[in-house]
Amino acid sequence: MDIDLRVDALMIVARIAHELAAEPRVLPSLVRLAGSREKQLRVAALYALARAASKLPAGRPNDATVGTYSTAFDQAMGDAAAPAAVRAMGWLGWGELSAAGRAVSPRVRALWAALLERARTGLEPAEEPVLAAAVHAMGRVRDRSFVPQLTALLASGNDEGQRQAAWALGAMGDPRALSPLLQATFSRRDPIRWTAAGALAQLTAASASAA
């Protein structure tokens, strides 16, 4: 079967993600495709899984279905030989899964730390989407232990990394992000400045609601 046809089929599956999330019999096939040697198939399968993971109800961290999703995302995130698009989609899918209640495993923390270290020493341009996807995933997780790392990235990352860090800090709602986000609103780069302003508004609104 032609690869383009299979990719198109996976995109159709992704569009009915709300039904896929409740149909675990489909998941093994998608997980197998998520390990394909063909980049297009692998990215499309991971995309379909990520869309389905976003529809999972919260609070199911030990569900067997969640474990099936986790296998595909973990493999993609940790595959150093995979194209950047595959690893980025793995991070995005993992973020959606974690938003449904999956805990941050030691392996994911190690992958995150390694990625940040590469960012500190200088990422290749092709790797920048992976960092941006990982930062976005951290915002979906809302684990406040990542706030110091995201704050550092907001101050010194590349444009998209900084923009995603600003969004993630706003999503986490941690008061420690107030000053860094305020400083980021004075950035010379519009995407960073506007995202920081939006995150700041989200953060202050959350603080007002909690008061």
Side-chain angles (χ1 to χ4, degrees), residues 133-149:
V135 173
H136 184 88
M138 292 305 162
R140 294 289 289 145
V141 176
R142 299 186 180 183
D143 183 334
R144 293 187 176 186
S145 68
F146 295 117
V147 167
Q149 297 166 327

Side-chain angles (χ1 to χ4, degrees), residues 7-24:
V7 170
D8 289 343
L10 287 169
M11 291 297 100
I12 293 171
V13 169
R15 294 190 191 104
I16 57 170
H18 61 289
E19 296 177 9
L20 174 60
E23 183 49 78

Side-chain angles (χ1 to χ4, degrees), residues 99-205:
R102 186 72 169 183
V104 183
S105 67
R107 181 173 183 272
V108 172
R109 290 183 184 275
L111 289 171
W112 168 246
L115 185 56
L116 285 181
E117 178 59 23
R118 293 202 303 277
R120 188 186 66 80
T121 57
L123 279 178
E124 294 292 331
E127 293 290 299
E128 292 178 0
V130 180
L131 176 63
V135 173
H136 184 88
M138 292 305 162
R140 294 289 289 145
V141 176
R142 299 186 180 183
D143 183 334
R144 293 187 176 186
S145 68
F146 295 117
V147 167
Q149 297 166 327
L150 291 171
T151 298
L153 189 61
L154 176 62
S156 60
N158 62 59
D159 283 10
E160 185 58 18
Q162 286 182 288
R163 192 181 73 81
Q164 291 292 348
W167 175 85
L169 288 168
M172 288 182 179
D174 193 308
R176 290 175 293 173
L178 185 62
S179 179
L181 285 171
L182 181 59
Q183 185 174 354
T185 63
F186 291 93
S187 171
R188 295 180 179 179
R189 296 185 289 282
D190 286 347
I192 298 169
R193 184 168 64 250
W194 285 108
T195 303
L200 195 60
Q202 185 177 4
L203 184 61
T204 54

Side-chain angles (χ1 to χ4, degrees), residues 12-129:
I12 293 171
V13 169
R15 294 190 191 104
I16 57 170
H18 61 289
E19 296 177 9
L20 174 60
E23 183 49 78
R25 291 175 297 178
V26 179
L27 298 181
S29 296
L30 285 176
V31 170
R32 284 194 297 273
L33 287 170
S36 171
R37 294 181 181 180
E38 297 290 344
K39 173 186 171 182
Q40 298 99 316
L41 283 178
R42 196 170 183 185
V43 171
L46 287 166
Y47 175 68
L49 286 168
R51 286 286 305 274
S54 72
K55 304 299 181 180
L56 289 171
R60 295 172 58 184
N62 298 314
D63 189 282
T65 300
V66 174
T68 303
Y69 285 101
S70 182
T71 297
F73 298 141
D74 285 359
Q75 288 177 349
M77 290 156 54
D79 187 350
V86 168
R87 284 176 285 133
M89 191 56 67
W91 276 106
L92 291 174
W94 174 82
E96 296 302 328
L97 190 63
S98 296
R102 186 72 169 183
V104 183
S105 67
R107 181 173 183 272
V108 172
R109 290 183 184 275
L111 289 171
W112 168 246
L115 185 56
L116 285 181
E117 178 59 23
R118 293 202 303 277
R120 188 186 66 80
T121 57
L123 279 178
E124 294 292 331
E127 293 290 299
E128 292 178 0

